[in-house]
Amino acid sequence: MMPAYFLLFSLGRNSFTTNTLLMKLYLVPTPVGNLADMTFRAVEVLKNADLILAEDTRTSRTVMQHYGIETPMQAYHIFNEHQTLNSVIARLKSGMTIALVTDAGTPGISDPGFLIVRECVKEGIDVECLPGATAFVPALINSGLPCDQFTFIGFLPHKKGRQTAIKALAEEHRTMIIYESPFRLVKTIEQLIEVLGEERQACVSREISKLHEENARGTLRELHTHFSSKEVKGEIVMTIAGE
């Protein structure tokens, strides 16, 4: 007897699932590193959607080609989401099923997603977010810091309001999660040391789910020494102990 999961993928586009994907926005997580982290259901939804909105179609094309997904794609990112929002809503109202993906991880987490979800809710359009990959969860769990309570900060402001945002962290009792660019990592650690002290425990996770994944744990001083002596590459998630 053919396994159920094989039957699911062999049917492909226009299968029995098509009727269940009607006038709906799906938020579909994509791998943050290893392409094998894609879920069966994510592939099914992307194959059967009428349109895929992608933060960067060039990046998403790698995932689509890997899984044989031929659904048309359209760029949807922070620079055009306001301009394209009305046309996307109109397509959904016409009965189309649209899937939103970002370059990696779950849409809406420091990536486009909130604006279109809010508009769909306002217009009575069904929205469903599939469970799946997101960078901060494995970083938090791998850190060894308390994860029963935490706060997700995301990216700190690059310029205006940055110092204010960092100073506010001094009063936070929960584990803090910050996204950062590899080019700003060392400078950010220096700024955190000024506010939180060099002995504050933290973890820097990079290249999550990739071949060269690293979870560097220690005090902020130790992390500063470690990353000052090397070229930093990859997406960065910082996990910092609360007060």
Side-chain angles (χ1 to χ4, degrees), residues 120-164:
C120 283
V121 171
K122 177 182 175 182
E123 295 292 333
I125 298 170
D126 198 9
V127 178
E128 185 170 349
C129 181
L130 275 60
T134 187
F136 80 80
V137 173
L140 172 63
I141 295 171
N142 276 328
S143 71
L145 298 174
C147 52
D148 55 333
Q149 292 187 359
F150 60 89
T151 180
F152 177 74
I153 308 298
F155 286 100
L156 292 165
H158 292 176
K159 295 180 180 179
K160 185 178 180 180
R162 184 176 179 86
Q163 287 299 324
T164 300

Side-chain angles (χ1 to χ4, degrees), residues 2-20:
M2 185 181 297
Y5 67 85
F6 182 82
L7 175 62
L8 176 68
F9 280 97
S10 66
L11 289 169
R13 189 171 173 79
N14 297 323
S15 70
F16 67 91
T17 56
T18 302
N19 291 332
T20 67

